[in-house]
Amino acid sequence: DSGVTQTPKHLITATGQRVTLRCSPRSGDLSVYWYQQSLDQGLQFLIQYYNGEERAKGNILERFSAQQFPDLHSELNLSSLELGDSALYFCASSPGTGANTGELFFGEGSRLTVL
Amino acid sequence: AQSVTQLGSHVSVSEGALVLLRCNYSSSVPPYLFWYVQYPNQGLQLLLKYTSAATLVKGINGFEAEFKKSETSFHLTKPSAHMSDAAEYFCAVSSNSGYSTLTFGKGTMLLVSP
């Protein structure tokens, strides 16, 4: 158990819909990262927040947005969903601001299926 | 920009055989390098990391990796495979210069047969 909690574990929805994925980081971790894992693209970095502020942006679509709340939990919002958005979405956390130390603690992921 | 390339999307070994998973990196600054493992239906967990100390890094479960700057490689090895090693392995790179994100390779699925 990494200490990172993601909900829901599975989500099935239709094209055009909007969903919200939630992540609670490990106790004390200030950074939250979102990754998308798909068969064709592999593990893609989407976005990072540190203590409520956006720190880095990766290959995140404009239809996607995220935020980190004062209690440090984070939400990833996916809108106008397309079939290609079907993937496993991981949240990870770390104590500091950067990934230099490399030890990111991953949740078990939220599997999104868009029909 | 940083990137890693993992050679072979699947590697099959017999139980007791040597495990060798290949990773080559590209980085314009001194890299930090990592191997993560993902067991079925689980998140990724850190196996080992190189952060510019010893070039031979030992990790959990008997795995180790050697940083070779001249070859821009960070291959993962284990002398004797166990059935429980069957999983997907990801090589990743970040930078040691200030703030950085972690960039993953596409992963290598390790299959272990009896």
Side-chain angles (χ1 to χ4, degrees):
Chain A
D1 183 4
S2 67
V4 178
T5 304
Q6 290 187 247
T7 57
K9 291 193 185 303
H10 300 275
L11 190 57
I12 302 174
T13 188
T15 55
Q17 295 298 305
R18 172 190 170 94
V19 299
T20 297
L21 309 180
R22 181 187 169 101
C23 170
S24 294
R26 286 190 328 155
S27 177
D29 284 358
L30 298 178
S31 278
V32 169
Y33 309 77
W34 286 98
Y35 281 84
Q36 180 193 59
Q37 186 180 36
S38 61
L39 283 175
D40 53 343
Q41 296 292 325
L43 204 58
Q44 296 283 314
F45 168 67
L46 296 179
I47 196 163
Q48 180 205 351
Y49 280 82
Y50 174 76
N51 203 21
E53 294 188 2
E54 182 183 305
R55 271 299 177 120
K57 232 173 186 178
N59 301 320
I60 188 166
L61 300 172
E62 285 190 10
R63 300 184 285 107
F64 296 0
S65 64
Q67 53 184 328
Q68 186 179 28
F69 295 87
D71 67 352
L72 301 178
H73 91 271
S74 177
E75 292 182 356
L76 179 67
N77 301 296
L78 315 175
S79 61
S80 302
L81 286 168
E82 301 175 359
L83 296 177
D85 297 327
S86 295
L88 193 52
Y89 291 85
F90 283 109
C91 170
S93 72
S94 69
T97 57
N100 309 75
T101 62
E103 187 145 21
L104 270 57
F105 296 87
F106 281 80
E108 295 188 353
S110 292
R111 183 170 294 283
L112 173 66
T113 302
V114 182
L115 301 176
Chain B
Q2 300 164 293
S3 65
V4 290
T5 302
Q6 292 184 240
L7 298 177
S9 59
H10 291 79
V11 169
S12 294
V13 300
S14 300
E15 195 172 19
L18 171 72
V19 175
L20 171 61
L21 304 181
R22 300 177 187 273
C23 172
N24 288 90
Y25 70 90
S26 173
S27 178
S28 56
V29 296
Y32 284 174
L33 294 159
F34 314 89
W35 278 98
Y36 276 78
V37 60
Q38 183 180 24
Y39 297 103
N41 300 314
Q42 293 186 27
L44 282 74
Q45 62 184 72
L46 183 65
L47 205 52
L48 51 79
K49 62 181 179 183
Y50 164 77
T51 54
S52 75
T55 56
L56 182 62
V57 181
K58 294 188 185 300
I60 60 173
N61 301 335
F63 284 93
E64 62 181 38
E66 187 172 7
F67 172 70
K68 292 187 177 181
K69 185 178 178 180
S70 60
E71 299 177 9
T72 61
S73 69
F74 190 58
H75 302 331
L76 181 70
T77 61
K78 182 173 180 178
S80 176
H82 295 162
M83 297 294 290
S84 60
D85 294 327
E88 190 156 21
Y89 292 80
F90 293 88
C91 183
V93 61
S94 73
S95 166
N96 68 354
S97 58
Y99 173 77
S100 175
T101 59
L102 200 59
T103 302
F104 286 89
K106 289 193 177 293
T108 298
M109 183 68 72
L110 176 65
L111 307 169
V112 183
S113 56

